[in-house]
Amino acid sequence: MPRSHKSLPRLRVEVPLAAMVEVGLGHEQTTYLLTVLRMKAGEAVVLFNGRDGAWLARIADANRKGATLAIEVQLQHQSPRSNLWFGFAPLKTGRLDYLVQKATEMGAGVIQPVITRYTQVSKLRHDKLVANVIEAAEQCEVLSVPTVAPEIGLADLLAGWQQREGLRRLIFCDEAAPVHGPAQQLADLDGLPIGILVGPEGGFSDEERAALLACSFVVPISLGPRILRADTAAVAALAVVQAIIGDWR
Ligand code: SAH
């Protein structure tokens, strides 16, 4: 995409996108464009909906009650949705928002909250997680917004894994794993669907670690000699996976 379009605001919409289509915005997106960004009629934005790629659109009616955009031309074809599954034990709010935004930027296609023994968070705000993921998708210019799955307990996740996920391998970031580089372990998984699991601040319990290591589809990896905070471990794990067997190649 030419650099000129790189700086335009990007909005995720639900409606189908095609040339000559007019798109009416709701209050929140209208306020964002007209009040926050102080945009005027005739100025351009980039729209995407996760199905039709990215389209250039211009403000046709700068009505503060609800702006209307006129779609002009397609800028990018729809790229395939990421097949990378990312599971994490929810953290306290601020760090949780950060974690789901980073998982989006790093290319997760499914973001799955997993409740473990030492997970501190009680009630997850699913709508807030989705809002964070959409904002991150707009900012990092992915064309499909990752799915935020409803929370699941670790035991249920493992019990249903093979039936639900088929051949997908689950890369288990194990803070107790012997320290050695994960490169060869990951390279051996090349071509297989992948999931990544990161534990909570308190780590995994001994029982959880034993249950994970007993699963044939689980691949435990070390993320080095230091104990990383859960949100650091999430970005580190996503980075090594994307670099070695993912879409950074
Ligand atoms: N139990 C420790 C660490 C938990 S860190 C504590 O209480 O401080 C949170 C999660 O990050 C871990 O469950 C693990 O999934 C991941 N993690 C952190 N450091 C890691 C490492 N060196 N290798 C693999 N995973 C790591």
Side-chain angles (χ1 to χ4, degrees):
M1 179 189 301
R3 197 72 216 148
S4 56
H5 295 140
K6 280 279 183 192
S7 55
L8 294 178
R10 295 173 76 90
L11 289 183
R12 190 238 189 191
V13 292
E14 302 284 350
V15 296
L17 298 173
M20 314 299 282
V21 164
E22 288 226 332
V23 178
L25 296 184
H27 173 70
E28 202 170 315
Q29 290 184 322
T30 297
T31 303
Y32 174 61
L33 291 187
L34 303 186
T35 307
V36 175
L37 299 183
R38 300 178 185 284
M39 295 185 78
K40 304 275 180 276
E43 289 191 84
V45 299
V46 176
L47 299 181
F48 68 102
N49 61 8
R51 302 182 304 279
D52 303 326
W55 290 74
L56 184 72
R58 286 190 192 281
I59 299 174
D61 176 1
N63 178 336
R64 288 190 180 283
K65 290 195 176 51
T68 304
L69 304 178
I71 295 181
E72 293 185 354
V73 64
Q74 186 172 32
L75 299 173
Q76 281 173 284
H77 291 295
Q78 183 60 38
S79 45
R81 167 184 283 285
S82 157
N83 186 26
L84 180 57
W85 184 98
F86 175 72
F88 66 99
L91 308 169
K92 291 212 179 329
T93 311
R95 311 263 306 289
L96 181 57
D97 297 347
Y98 170 89
L99 193 146
V100 296
Q101 292 201 13
K102 299 312 146 196
T104 302
E105 293 169 54
M106 298 297 280
V110 171
I111 294 177
Q112 169 72 68
V114 179
I115 308 303
T116 68
R117 170 90 174 65
Y118 299 131
T119 298
Q120 297 146 342
V121 172
S122 49
K123 188 76 199 86
L124 267 185
R125 289 274 316 275
H126 188 267
D127 56 330
K128 204 162 171 299
L129 294 182
V130 172
N132 271 296
V133 159
I134 289 173
E135 186 185 330
E138 289 171 340
Q139 175 269 325
C140 70
E141 305 187 0
V142 290
L143 288 182
S144 40
V145 175
T147 305
V148 179
E151 61 197 60
I152 187 171
L154 179 61
D156 291 341
L157 176 78
L158 297 181
W161 183 269
Q162 288 180 299
Q163 187 251 334
R164 196 178 46 248
E165 301 291 343
L167 287 176
R168 191 183 298 276
R169 293 294 185 272
L170 180 56
I171 294 170
F172 161 37
C173 297
D174 181 3
E175 68 273 17
V179 177
H180 66 274
Q184 190 51 54
Q185 287 173 281
L186 295 177
D188 294 346
L189 301 177
D190 197 4
L192 286 169
I194 295 294
I196 300 172
L197 179 65
V198 171
E201 278 315 299
F204 288 101
S205 71
D206 292 343
E207 296 74 23
E208 288 171 335
R209 178 167 292 102
L212 278 154
L213 295 177
C215 297
S216 57
F217 54 84
V218 166
V219 179
I221 66 165
S222 164
L223 293 174
R226 289 166 294 280
I227 294 289
L228 311 175
R229 291 186 69 147
D231 41 355
T232 313
V235 178
L238 284 156
V240 287
V241 166
Q242 291 291 35
I244 295 170
I245 51 175
D247 65 9
W248 285 9
R249 290 180 295 179

